[in-house]
């Protein structure tokens, strides 16, 4: 019976060790998965940082190129890179040829002009709405006074507004 108890204890111990080993393997897989996720996140952060840096370089190149090409159409791309504070390879990575750079400067300027026009149209629309709202409010007030027969307008003023066909809201 001792041997049976001993065998049962060994079997229980082996099972327990197997369960712990399985659990440890699962934990190891989880840890490896977390490490992979962290590495991917770090790569993504680095890519974003590089992309932001690359975008800053591109913007600097375009700004300098516009200024430099305005001064002289014959400026070298190396001079543009130097003035932009980037390496020649950086400029050529973004703009492989002189034509590519000139076209992109043109596109950039047209995009800025288009955005400025859109902003101006939106501003004018808001101003027109405000003006219409102000005039509409004034018409509403006059109509309300006319309908009530306000003494401030006098008989001629009230009948003049009523004859003009103005209703509340300024619509005819």
């Amino acid at each position: 019976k001792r041997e049976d108890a001993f065998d049962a204890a060994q079997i229980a111990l082996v099972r327990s060790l197997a369960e712990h080993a399985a659990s440890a393997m699962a934990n190891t897989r989880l840890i490896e998965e977390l490490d992979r996720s962290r590495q991917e996140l770090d790569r993504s952060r680095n890519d974003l940082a590089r992309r932001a840096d690359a975008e800053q370089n591109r913007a600097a190149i375009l700004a300098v190129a516009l200024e430099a090409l305005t001064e002289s159409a014959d400026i070298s791309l190396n001079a543009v890179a130097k003035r932009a504070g980037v390496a020649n390879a950086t400029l050529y990575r973004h703009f492989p040829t002189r034509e590519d750079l000139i076209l992109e400067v043109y596109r950039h300027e047209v995009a800025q002009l288009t955005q400025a026009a859109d902003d101006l149209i939106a501003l004018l629309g808001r101003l027109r709405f405000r003006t219409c709202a102000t005039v509409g409010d004034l018409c509403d007030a006059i109509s309300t006074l006319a309908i009530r027969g306000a003494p401030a307008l006098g008989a001629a003023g009230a009948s003049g507004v009523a004859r003009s066909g103005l209703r509340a809201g300024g619509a005819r």
Side-chain angles (χ1 to χ4, degrees), residues 1-16:
K1 291 186 179 196
R2 263 183 162 178
E3 288 178 12
D4 290 339
F6 184 74
D7 287 343
Q10 280 184 330
I11 291 172
L13 181 61
V14 169
R15 281 186 186 151
S16 177

Side-chain angles (χ1 to χ4, degrees), residues 122-138:
L123 176 64
L124 290 174
R126 286 192 307 273
L127 289 175
R128 193 173 104 222
F129 175 77
R130 286 183 186 155
T131 303
C132 289
T134 303
V135 171
D137 292 344
L138 180 61

Side-chain angles (χ1 to χ4, degrees), residues 53-55 57-58 61 89-97 100:
D53 185 45
E55 193 56 39
N57 288 341
R58 189 175 193 281
I61 292 167
T90 301
L91 184 138
Y92 285 106
R93 189 175 315 115
H94 289 280
F95 309 104
T97 66
D100 291 331

Side-chain angles (χ1 to χ4, degrees), residues 8-9 19 22 29 36 44 57-58 60 66 68 72 82 85 87 95 106 112 122 124 126 135 137 141 154 158 171:
E19 288 173 5
R29 280 189 224 115
R36 277 193 300 275
S44 295
N57 288 341
R58 189 175 193 281
L66 175 63
S72 170
K82 186 174 183 178
F95 309 104
Y106 176 74
Q112 286 183 325
L124 290 174
R126 286 192 307 273
V135 171
D137 292 344

